[in-house]
Amino acid sequence: MDANPEDDYLMLSGIQHFQFCQRQWALIHIEQQWEENVGTIEGQHLHRKADQPFVREKRGDKLTVRALPVKSEELKITGICDVVEFIRDEDGVEISEAEGRYKACPVEYKRGKPKKNDADILQLAAQAICLEEMLLCSVPVE
């Protein structure tokens, strides 16, 4: 039986961790060491609504999908988008079980202040790349 090739893919969250702190990345993604603290527990609380993969919410021209698994076979990256907002747009793509065409916009929730470096932006850009490859579309920068 062949091993799952995705086992060797880089996690999207790892991109953010590596850019933010390479030691943190190594502890989490190589040594598999993780310790909860007040900040991580607050982050879990923040993500509670976003971590519901089977919830779709439609409001007007916006379809919100939570905990959407994504991957790029070309870049060998995989992960889960907190939220992807699909905005109705005739230049967009068709979405399963949704009427019309939509443009995808990934949304990432973070606890605390934005990072001083581009760590969070890199993670969001990687999510957009995965969506572009999976949906065969362009994800605009807004």
Side-chain angles (χ1 to χ4, degrees), residues 62-106:
K62 184 189 303 182
L63 173 64
T64 302
V65 178
R66 293 179 175 79
L68 181 67
V70 295
K71 69 178 179 178
S72 167
E73 292 181 14
E74 184 176 340
L75 296 178
K76 307 293 186 237
I77 56 178
T78 187
I80 298 176
C81 294
D82 287 346
V83 170
V84 178
E85 293 178 344
F86 291 96
I87 312 298
R88 187 181 283 268
D89 188 308
E90 291 308 313
D91 293 328
V93 296
E94 292 182 6
I95 302 298
S96 175
E97 300 177 24
E99 217 174 281
R101 300 175 75 80
Y102 295 82
K103 285 196 175 177
C105 179

Side-chain angles (χ1 to χ4, degrees), residues 9 17 29-30 39 86-87 99 102 106 111 119 132 134 136:
Y9 282 26
H17 291 144
H29 296 275
I30 294 176
F86 291 96
I87 312 298
E99 217 174 281
Y102 295 82
R111 180 191 154 276
E132 288 179 340
M134 291 173 60
L136 302 174

Side-chain angles (χ1 to χ4, degrees), residues 114-134:
K115 309 283 187 299
K116 292 182 180 179
N117 62 20
D118 290 334
D120 294 340
I121 294 168
L122 288 174
Q123 182 179 1
L124 197 57
Q127 291 175 2
I129 290 168
C130 290
L131 287 166
E132 288 179 340
E133 183 178 319
M134 291 173 60

